[in-house]
Amino acid sequence: MTVEPDRPVDDAPGTASVETPPGAGRSELVEHYDRQYAGGGFGYERQRETWVAWVAHHYIREFDLRPDERLLDVGCGDGFWTALFAEAGLAATGVDLSPVGIETARRAHPGVEFVVGDAENLPFPDESFNVVFCRAISHLSRHDLFTDASTRLVAGMARLLRPGGLILISFYTQRDGGGTPEHAWHRLSDLLKLVEPVADPFHVDVVGHYVQIGAQRRDAPRRRSRSRAAPAPLPEPAATPAPTTARRVRRILGRARRALSPRRT
């Protein structure tokens, strides 16, 4: 089943949806997002029912996320998406560079863990999570996708994966290489190229201009449930009879034909 919003809440749902100043430094970005969250965030609550269905179908079902798996939402902002995962039964944690965003998240969702932290230097031990998720993080909206910052982002996400874990990246893009001065519409092939050095992309879900990429550890692939498992291999075809058996069959058939044919007088 495909679930789509009536229209995007904005051009790029998630932390990257605001028009971040091109070339902004770290402190400028923090101030920028602090102002955004202090002003009410991104208005996701206006389409909450739609986004609840989206999480259920295009994240949990499509990528076989399981109850009680530990999930980290990188660039969680005010915690909207983190909380939806928690409501769906995952042990969700959110991390964001914006102290105001994290304060807003903690106030709105007191039962969910939120941490102030840098997406390029995630403050968690190795192999801490089953799922490391990001939705429209600002790194992916930059026209130069292959920066040191983006490389640190995906490498850090991969570092946190437990065996059988999953990186899940969700992004709004028209996939034509264009965009606006503030937001690039990267091609799917470029997004995959960014992820491939650190994880194995094994599943992609494209819904309109929304792209979801699932990538797993190469040394410990994700085990899928029976409902999402690959189909069982087809049975091997029956072996061809050995030549000696074939000759024996032909001799028997030949005798039968001769016995049934009329005899000459």
Side-chain angles (χ1 to χ4, degrees), residues 222-256:
R222 187 163 177 81
R223 187 175 66 250
R224 313 203 76 185
S225 67
R226 295 179 66 88
S227 62
R228 298 290 300 167
L234 294 174
E236 292 292 328
T240 303
T244 54
T245 302
R247 285 196 295 270
R248 190 176 302 118
V249 170
R250 286 197 296 270
R251 285 198 298 269
I252 293 171
L253 291 175
R255 290 195 205 101

Side-chain angles (χ1 to χ4, degrees), residues 63 77 144 169 237 251:
F63 290 89
D144 185 0
I169 294 174
R251 285 198 298 269

Side-chain angles (χ1 to χ4, degrees), residues 120 139 142 144-155 194:
E120 297 172 28
H139 294 66
R142 299 165 186 166
D144 185 0
L145 181 62
F146 301 98
T147 62
D148 290 342
S150 296
T151 300
R152 287 192 294 270
L153 167 70
V154 295
L194 176 67

Side-chain angles (χ1 to χ4, degrees), residues 13-181:
T15 299
S17 58
V18 296
E19 296 185 352
T20 52
R26 188 62 53 89
S27 62
E28 292 173 288
L29 284 175
V30 172
E31 292 175 5
H32 185 74
Y33 286 118
D34 278 351
R35 288 194 300 271
Q36 179 72 26
Y37 294 120
F42 300 100
Y44 288 128
E45 287 291 345
R46 293 195 297 270
Q47 292 193 51
R48 180 180 177 81
E49 187 175 332
T50 294
W51 294 127
V52 168
W54 180 279
V55 167
H57 289 279
H58 295 296
Y59 296 153
I60 293 176
R61 181 181 179 278
E62 188 68 28
F63 290 89
D64 194 26
L65 308 189
R66 301 154 202 164
D68 300 326
E69 284 194 306
R70 288 201 70 198
L71 177 143
L72 178 66
D73 181 3
V74 180
C76 68
D78 60 7
F80 178 84
W81 298 97
T82 320
L84 293 189
F85 283 116
E87 290 169 13
L90 284 89
T93 298
V95 60
D96 198 278
L97 195 62
S98 166
V100 174
I102 293 299
E103 180 184 344
T104 303
R106 289 170 176 166
R107 192 166 52 246
H109 313 290
V112 181
E113 180 184 18
F114 292 99
V115 177
V116 176
D118 188 344
E120 297 172 28
N121 186 22
L122 292 164
F124 304 96
D126 294 358
E127 299 187 354
S128 295
F129 296 92
N130 306 99
V131 182
V132 182
F133 168 82
C134 70
R135 181 182 173 94
I137 194 166
S138 58
H139 294 66
L140 304 186
S141 69
R142 299 165 186 166
H143 282 269
D144 185 0
L145 181 62
F146 301 98
T147 62
D148 290 342
S150 296
T151 300
R152 287 192 294 270
L153 167 70
V154 295
M157 294 174 73
R159 176 182 65 82
L160 299 184
L161 286 184
R162 292 175 174 174
L166 166 73
I167 291 175
L168 178 53
I169 294 174
S170 185
F171 192 66
Y172 178 93
T173 175
Q174 296 189 21
R175 307 195 309 281
D176 61 3
T180 68

Side-chain angles (χ1 to χ4, degrees), residues 6-18:
D6 297 332
R7 61 175 179 81
V9 174
D10 40 50
D11 282 343
T15 299
S17 58
V18 296

